[in-house]
Amino acid sequence: MTPHRPEDTGLPTGLPAARPAAMPEEAWIEVLSAVDRTYADLVDYQEQLERQNARLQDMQAFLTSILASVSDVLIVLDRAGRIEQVSASLLARSGARAQALTGQDVARLVPPEDAARLAEVLDRLRADRRPAVLELALATPDGPEPLELSVAPRLDDRGRVAGFVLTGRPLGELRRAYAELTESHDALKSAQSLLVRNEKLASLGRLLAGVAHELNNPISFVYANAHALDRYVGKFETYFARVQDGASREDLVTLREQLRLDREITNLRQATQGARDGAERVRDIVEDLRRLSSDGAGERVSFDLAETARVAAHWVLRGAKEAPALTIDGPGTVQAWGRPGHIQQIVMNLVQNAVDAVEGRKGGAVTLTLAAEAGRARLTVSDNGPGVPAEVRASIFDPFFTTKSVGRGTGLGLSISLKIAEEHGGHLTLQDRPGSGAAFLLDLPAQGISG
Ligand SMILES: Nc1ncnc2c1ncn2[C@@H]1O[C@H](COP(=O)(O)OP(=O)(O)O)[C@@H](O)[C@H]1O
Ligand SMILES: [Mg+2]
């Protein structure tokens, strides 16, 4: 736009309407410079207007792009409830054209029964200005589409209600999103229980390594003794065959010495005793295992934490490549309340971690310290390994946090143990022992809440 000459504007210049011929030269100069000033002012004004206009256009483009791209339905109303602007998403849904909607009452977007409710909400908002949420249907060519609609007042610069902004999301979409959320929540839950089961299987694996090791001894003992018994039987068979054949007394005495039967009779006793000892050891081991597994899910009962800790620690150490020295301090019996099978899993996790921590160190030692104090049963599992570095202290109870290599650590042991302890109304904490290995304290109620 080019500015008009000031002569064409018809603007008052403030000059006297005198005839030029009668004016002195100075007056002319004054007139001309006034014209110049006015002209310059006008140019300024014009430039300012153009800048403002460009800004307005930017703003408009910005708003238009928002209206075009929001996926939620957006409707801007004036104070009377007439449509000022709508988003492209609304146009797409309602099948209407923007021009056809502008200036119309918002009621025409919804079925009549919803129109009344919407009008009520707008009325209330004019008074109390408090945003509201309501469910209503949007009339579309395919029939009503349920929306969750938020209605907020639009205030002018003096804080008066100038209109309303309505935003809505199709409920179908919300419901679908909710269903998806539920589904992924379920998937997460089942993944979690799978992980817990895997961790259980891993500790079962460690347990079995210990069992195999433990059974090996008495079984080979039984086997060796059975083998010896076989040999003795052979000798006695030879002897009795000669008796049957009617051998002379002297012959028999000689044979008896040759076969060293007198000594073998004592050995025979020892062999049967040995075989029985071995078999009893096997029976004890099986008994132990049965106790370990049968308490798995079970009822909450009063049980001996010291005994559970001893059995669990024993089996973990049996499964260890190089078993550290185990010391057990404190009273031989400590009453606790809960599910012994679950508590045993905590002890196995703690002892396994202690064993891992001292692995490859000379003089590795694991200590269990038991204590019964003021209605609580306490067990501390400590080791003389490197301890837990300060920078990971906060993370070790997190699921999947592990500093061990793949296949050695799942990072679930402590998080599961903590969960079990808390389910029992107890605590599991890392004790502060700067510079001297790690110590974990398991604290459990000594008695059930009911007594
Ligand atoms: N006795 C311990 N000494 C040093 N660090 C430990 C000890 N116990 C646990 N940690 C640390 O806590 C981490 C998490 O332990 P845990 O949850 O049992 O998982 P995982 O043993 O599978 O790594 C371990 O990787 C280790 O870094
Ligand atoms: Mg572990």
Side-chain angles (χ1 to χ4, degrees):
M1 237 202 278
T2 43
H4 303 282
R5 301 294 309 169
E7 296 88 60
D8 306 335
T9 63
L11 284 176
T13 57
L15 295 173
R19 274 181 306 154
M23 281 168 68
E25 199 173 333
E26 307 86 73
W28 268 112
I29 289 171
E30 209 174 296
V31 167
L32 284 177
S33 73
V35 167
D36 262 0
R37 278 201 306 278
T38 311
Y39 183 66
D41 282 353
L42 262 176
V43 170
D44 264 3
Y45 182 62
Q46 184 82 29
E47 280 173 356
Q48 210 175 314
L49 263 181
E50 274 173 17
R51 273 199 305 276
Q52 272 171 0
N53 198 25
R55 260 208 305 265
L56 261 175
Q57 270 172 358
D58 283 352
M59 204 107 98
Q60 186 121 33
F62 178 67
L63 282 177
T64 309
S65 76
I66 290 178
L67 286 173
S69 58
V70 284
S71 60
D72 285 4
V73 165
L74 184 75
I75 308 166
V76 182
L77 305 181
D78 67 10
R79 192 182 154 79
R82 283 181 303 251
I83 297 171
E84 287 189 344
Q85 293 269 16
V86 295
S87 61
S89 53
L90 177 103
L91 297 176
R93 286 205 160 81
S94 66
R97 296 209 2 250
Q99 286 97 323
L101 289 180
T102 311
Q104 299 281 335
D105 194 306
V106 66
R108 57 160 290 188
L109 287 176
V110 299
E113 61 278 15
D114 286 346
R117 277 196 307 135
L118 182 57
E120 235 171 73
V121 168
L122 295 185
D123 267 348
R124 215 184 47 233
L125 242 77
R126 277 185 202 99
D128 70 6
R129 303 166 184 208
R130 286 229 299 278
V133 176
L134 72 160
E135 272 185 33
L136 47 68
L138 180 72
T140 77
D142 307 328
E145 181 180 339
L147 278 187
E148 185 188 73
L149 199 66
S150 312
V151 189
R154 192 159 57 82
L155 303 181
D156 67 12
D157 47 10
R158 277 192 262 166
R160 290 173 310 198
V161 177
F164 306 93
V165 178
L166 282 50
T167 50
R169 174 164 293 188
L171 275 175
E173 234 169 65
L174 278 180
R175 293 208 178 101
R176 218 170 20 252
Y178 182 74
E180 273 166 22
L181 205 69
T182 318
E183 208 172 283
S184 54
H185 180 72
D186 287 348
L188 214 64
K189 270 205 308 220
S190 68
Q192 193 192 14
S193 66
L194 194 71
L195 284 168
V196 170
R197 234 184 46 220
N198 281 351
E199 172 67 19
K200 273 196 187 137
L201 284 180
S203 58
L204 192 68
R206 291 195 291 261
L207 187 74
L208 283 182
V211 172
H213 194 110
E214 187 88 334
L215 283 178
N216 211 24
N217 254 340
I219 286 176
S220 50
F221 202 49
V222 170
Y223 187 74
N225 282 305
H227 196 69
L229 282 173
D230 247 3
R231 236 182 37 241
Y232 305 149
V233 168
K235 287 184 179 183
F236 283 110
E237 273 171 357
T238 314
Y239 182 77
F240 288 130
R242 294 287 287 277
V243 172
Q244 205 95 62
D245 293 349
S248 72
R249 199 179 151 73
E250 276 106 79
D251 278 357
L252 287 179
V253 170
T254 318
L255 183 61
R256 206 163 139 170
E257 268 162 22
Q258 257 176 14
L259 294 174
R260 288 187 279 187
L261 285 192
D262 295 310
R263 214 189 65 198
E264 300 298 37
I265 287 209
T266 330
N267 286 346
L268 191 67
R269 282 234 167 280
Q270 276 170 5
T272 51
Q273 183 60 42
R276 189 178 306 124
D277 285 352
E280 274 169 9
R281 182 77 197 113
V282 171
R283 188 199 56 199
D284 290 349
I285 293 169
V286 170
E287 179 62 25
D288 248 12
L289 288 177
R290 218 166 47 94
R291 213 168 43 233
L292 278 185
S293 60
S294 67
D295 295 332
E299 287 289 296
R300 289 174 190 240
V301 292
S302 184
F303 70 99
D304 180 5
L305 178 61
E307 164 74 3
T308 301
R310 270 195 302 271
V311 174
H314 171 78
W315 286 107
V316 174
L317 293 185
R318 295 303 302 191
K321 262 197 286 180
E322 30 175 331
L326 175 68
T327 312
I328 303 182
D329 285 341
T333 306
V334 172
Q335 266 338 282
W337 175 259
R339 299 188 172 98
H342 287 190
I343 301 306
Q344 164 249 320
Q345 201 187 348
I346 300 184
V347 182
M348 287 181 66
N349 287 337
L350 295 180
V351 174
Q352 184 63 52
N353 283 345
V355 169
D356 290 346
V358 299
E359 195 189 79
R361 293 187 157 227
K362 265 223 166 73
V366 176
T367 307
L368 305 186
T369 310
L370 288 141
E373 286 162 33
R376 309 296 294 180
R378 300 213 167 95
L379 166 71
T380 309
V381 178
S382 47
D383 62 67
N384 59 353
V388 181
E391 63 273 20
V392 303
R393 279 184 82 94
S395 321
I396 57 170
F397 288 100
D398 292 348
F400 307 115
F401 177 85
T402 180
T403 53
K404 297 170 193 172
S405 52
V406 178
R408 297 219 46 207
T410 57
L412 286 173
L414 285 179
S415 76
I416 290 174
S417 300
L418 178 65
K419 195 168 157 240
I420 296 175
E422 285 172 349
E423 278 168 5
H424 276 76
H427 313 281
L428 176 64
T429 45
L430 171 63
Q431 301 299 98
D432 235 347
R433 297 204 318 171
S436 58
F440 287 85
L441 170 67
L442 171 65
D443 171 297
L444 293 173
Q447 256 139 28
I449 317 288
S450 54

